[in-house]
Amino acid sequence: MDALDVMGKKEDIFPYFQPIVSADKQEIIGYEVLGRIHTDEGIKSLGFFFQDHSIPEEYIMEIDTHLRKLAILYFQKQESDQCLFFNCSARHLLFDHGETITNSLEEYGANGISYDKIVIEVSDYDIDDDQLQKLQHILTYYKSLGVQIAISHAGNRMSNIEKIAILNPNIIKVGLTNLKDKGMPPEYREVLYALSMLGRKIGATLLFEGIEGVGQLKYAWENGGRYYQGYYFGKPGPEFLSKNEFKLLLTKEFHHFIVHERERLLSLYELSQDFNSHLQQQIKRTRQNNWNEIVSVATRSLGDACFRGYICDEDGNQVSSNYYRNGEGVWEFQPEYEGDNWSWRPYFLENIVRMRHEQVGILSDLYSDIETNELIRTYSYPINDSHYLFLDIPYLYLYERDDY
């Protein structure tokens, strides 16, 4: 089927609706509108039509407007208080300066539909700065009406995060489809962390799409996802579902997640307490202010729980060598690190103040090590009021304890 076939069968085109559920309400809060067409072989997706850059923009926008109109008519008949998510490519918006969507929105408003029930979901925004600024103006106008803006981020790339910040959406949409049956690669964790931090800064909500199993749902829940979408909650269909269709499912799964997370956090707390008690005894046995002796004794005493240690003063200046277990399992000093300053690292000074006042060690979040690119945690321990021991814990040790 080509573009002319689609244009000639406009009466056979209709919308499908895929539910989007919320973590807070545990109910369906809206639907993404997707295009379908009746053919001799059955119902087919119109994804190929909207994604084909060779098809004239006028054709795309005519069919898109037709689909939105049908979806709005159905929405009105349902008297729904949920939201409709309409896909919109940045290039289509820029083609006519957003006028087609603007005209549709004015029509919806005239028919009594509240603008805050409409979500414009923008994709393909990897464009130059001039075009990005024009797109920003269009989206800012829509937001001024009360329309919500969602921006899709796909894959493991950091490159578009700055553009998302400029577009300042209400919702950031994160895809999990490519992570089916795979582990979460470190680069994806970094992208997700950056998106989560961006969302907090600009007040945007994370929506995870492509959820096809409980593992992906758990990952989305653990990483701050408020909204969820995917085949786990049903494939797109021609009708709305009951608002509470997935409430029992979410209640049950969230309970399992909470129980597991509570056990994991308790285990991490106990690990931190064990390290604290152990290091108190070890450091008492070493000569005061002999930093290399202190770091070597403390690091080796923890065995497999540590692969690197060093000591810094309260300003972040490293006063010891690194004491490091190399690939052959041999411990060695790395004097070239002495004198480096680590005050620029996130949470460094905050943790120094906490340790000084609480006089206990602190276990960091999981993060990627700069040198090895492996996931690790760092345990920080106050030697005295001005010097602090840092011990890096390998992921394998944490994984075996379920402390990752």
Side-chain angles (χ1 to χ4, degrees), residues 125-126 153 156-164 191:
Y125 52 88
D126 193 7
H153 183 278
N156 298 344
R157 295 184 303 163
M158 282 281 194
S159 58
N160 285 331
I161 291 180
E162 183 179 351
K163 293 180 179 179
I164 293 175
V191 169

Side-chain angles (χ1 to χ4, degrees), residues 129-245:
D129 290 346
D130 287 343
Q131 294 290 85
L132 188 70
Q133 188 174 30
K134 292 175 183 177
L135 179 62
Q136 179 193 26
H137 291 326
I138 294 169
L139 299 184
T140 299
Y141 172 69
Y142 293 161
K143 287 180 71 176
S144 73
L145 299 176
V147 172
Q148 298 185 70
I149 301 299
I151 301 292
S152 298
H153 183 278
N156 298 344
R157 295 184 303 163
M158 282 281 194
S159 58
N160 285 331
I161 291 180
E162 183 179 351
K163 293 180 179 179
I164 293 175
I166 291 171
L167 297 177
N168 193 27
N170 306 98
I171 298 168
I172 300 173
K173 196 169 187 180
V174 184
L176 291 180
T177 303
N178 294 334
L179 298 167
K180 183 182 178 183
D181 300 326
K182 299 178 183 178
M184 300 301 173
E187 63 270 21
Y188 186 82
R189 291 177 182 270
E190 298 302 322
V191 169
L192 186 56
Y193 179 78
L195 287 170
S196 179
M197 290 299 100
L198 173 61
R200 289 179 60 186
K201 293 289 186 183
I202 66 176
T205 294
L206 291 186
L207 188 165
F208 284 85
E209 67 172 339
I211 295 175
E212 299 185 11
V214 68
Q216 289 167 313
L217 176 63
K218 185 173 186 290
Y219 190 80
W221 178 85
E222 289 173 337
N223 287 279
R226 182 183 182 187
Y227 299 142
Y228 313 124
Q229 180 183 4
Y231 284 2
Y232 189 65
F233 302 105
K235 296 182 178 181
E239 298 178 344
F240 287 3
L241 304 174
S242 165
K243 181 185 287 189
N244 294 316
E245 182 80 15

Side-chain angles (χ1 to χ4, degrees), residues 213-384:
V214 68
Q216 289 167 313
L217 176 63
K218 185 173 186 290
Y219 190 80
W221 178 85
E222 289 173 337
N223 287 279
R226 182 183 182 187
Y227 299 142
Y228 313 124
Q229 180 183 4
Y231 284 2
Y232 189 65
F233 302 105
K235 296 182 178 181
E239 298 178 344
F240 287 3
L241 304 174
S242 165
K243 181 185 287 189
N244 294 316
E245 182 80 15
F246 305 106
K247 197 173 189 71
L248 288 177
L249 173 66
L250 288 172
T251 300
K252 181 187 73 171
E253 297 300 352
F254 284 0
H255 175 70
H256 292 158
F257 299 164
I258 290 166
V259 169
H260 180 266
E261 186 68 6
R262 189 182 291 128
E263 291 173 350
R264 189 184 70 84
L265 291 172
L266 179 60
S267 180
L268 285 172
Y269 174 77
E270 291 172 346
L271 177 65
S272 184
Q273 293 292 97
D274 290 346
F275 275 23
N276 199 76
S277 299
H278 176 81
L279 291 171
Q280 281 179 346
Q281 298 303 316
Q282 293 297 319
I283 290 175
K284 283 179 182 177
R285 300 171 186 168
T286 57
R287 286 173 291 174
Q288 189 175 10
N289 299 336
N290 188 329
W291 307 126
N292 278 352
E293 179 184 351
I294 291 173
V295 75
S296 62
V297 168
T299 304
R300 290 175 72 99
S301 73
L302 290 171
D304 292 340
C306 181
F307 71 93
R308 178 171 55 211
Y310 54 96
I311 295 171
C312 292
D313 66 18
E314 60 187 337
D315 292 331
N317 299 306
Q318 186 165 329
V319 298
S320 75
S321 301
N322 272 11
Y323 197 56
Y324 177 74
R325 186 174 61 213
N326 63 28
E328 286 73 43
V330 177
W331 288 97
E332 59 186 18
F333 283 108
Q334 296 175 311
E336 65 269 23
Y337 288 93
E338 189 171 341
D340 287 358
N341 185 279
W342 302 104
S343 61
W344 55 270
R345 299 182 77 170
Y347 308 112
F348 183 91
L349 294 178
E350 179 182 334
N351 287 341
I352 292 294
V353 172
R354 281 185 60 192
M355 286 189 286
R356 177 182 293 170
H357 286 274
E358 298 173 12
Q359 286 300 301
V360 293
I362 295 173
L363 194 62
S364 77
D365 292 335
L366 202 63
Y367 68 96
S368 293
D369 181 55
I370 294 174
E371 294 190 359
T372 67
N373 203 34
E374 297 290 331
L375 290 171
I376 67 171
R377 290 183 186 269
T378 295
Y379 185 76
S380 313
Y381 178 81
I383 298 172
N384 53 41

